[in-house]
Amino acid sequence: TLTPIIKMIEQECNAKLFREDNYTSNEPFICKFNLNGILRGDLNAQKEFFKTMVNNGIYSPNRVLELMDENTYEGGDRRYMQGAMVPVDMLEAFYASKGAGKKNKVSEAKKTILKSKLNGSYDDVINILES
C-alpha cells in the first residue's frame, strides 16, 4: 500500500526540487526513497536471503554490507560461488585446474593386484588406465 504513495511523493519532489534542464542532462538527479529498511523482515529471513545471494554469486559481500548500512571492506566486491567459495571471475580457471590434475592414476597397491592377475598383459592395461 505504500508504493503508490511513495511514487507520488518521489515524482512531486523531482518536479519541485530540480530544474527542467536536469531531465535532459546525461546524469539527471532524481529523488528515490530507499524502502529496504521497511521491507527487511526479521533477522533470520535477512540472513537466509543474503546467504543465498552471496553463495549463488548474485551479491558481493560489500553489496550486502551496503544494503545493511554497514562499512564495506577492500576486496569485498568479489563475488563467490558456493562449493569451494571460488570468486566468480576465477571459476573457469579453477575448474580447468581441477580437471588438469586428475589423470587416471593407478595406486601401487592396485598395480600389485593387477600384476598378479594379468600376467603378460599387465603393462598394456596400465598404459590404457593411465592414458
Side-chain angles (χ1 to χ4, degrees):
T1 60
L2 285 177
T3 304
I5 296 167
I6 289 173
K7 282 190 179 200
M8 288 190 311
I9 295 171
E10 287 174 344
Q11 289 172 352
E12 188 166 345
C13 288
N14 288 334
K16 292 182 177 177
L17 292 175
F18 304 117
R19 298 184 338 198
E20 293 257 341
D21 61 345
N22 178 53
Y23 302 108
T24 59
S25 71
N26 290 339
E27 295 182 25
F29 293 107
I30 61 166
C31 290
K32 183 153 180 73
F33 289 102
N34 184 354
L35 301 177
N36 289 338
I38 296 171
L39 302 174
R40 279 189 183 153
D42 67 342
L43 289 176
N44 283 333
Q46 279 182 359
K47 178 186 77 164
E48 287 304 314
F49 172 75
F50 289 138
K51 180 179 172 184
T52 301
M53 298 303 269
V54 169
N55 287 348
N56 290 325
I58 299 167
Y59 281 179
S60 68
N62 274 352
R63 175 72 176 137
V64 172
L65 290 170
E66 287 171 3
L67 291 172
M68 296 183 68
D69 296 325
E70 298 288 336
N71 294 331
T72 59
Y73 63 93
E74 187 176 333
D77 290 322
R78 293 186 94 172
R79 294 178 184 201
Y80 296 92
M81 190 66 87
Q82 183 60 28
M85 292 303 285
V86 177
V88 172
D89 57 344
M90 297 176 68
L91 278 175
E92 188 174 326
F94 175 76
Y95 286 115
S97 71
K98 287 286 188 187
K102 280 192 173 184
K103 290 194 175 180
N104 291 332
K105 298 282 182 186
V106 180
S107 69
E108 292 302 317
K110 287 183 180 178
K111 284 182 182 181
T112 306
I113 293 169
L114 285 172
K115 200 173 222 179
S116 68
K117 299 213 182 230
L118 295 174
N119 294 333
S121 55
Y122 165 78
D123 291 328
D124 296 331
V125 172
I126 293 298
N127 289 337
I128 291 170
L129 290 175
E130 290 185 342
S131 62

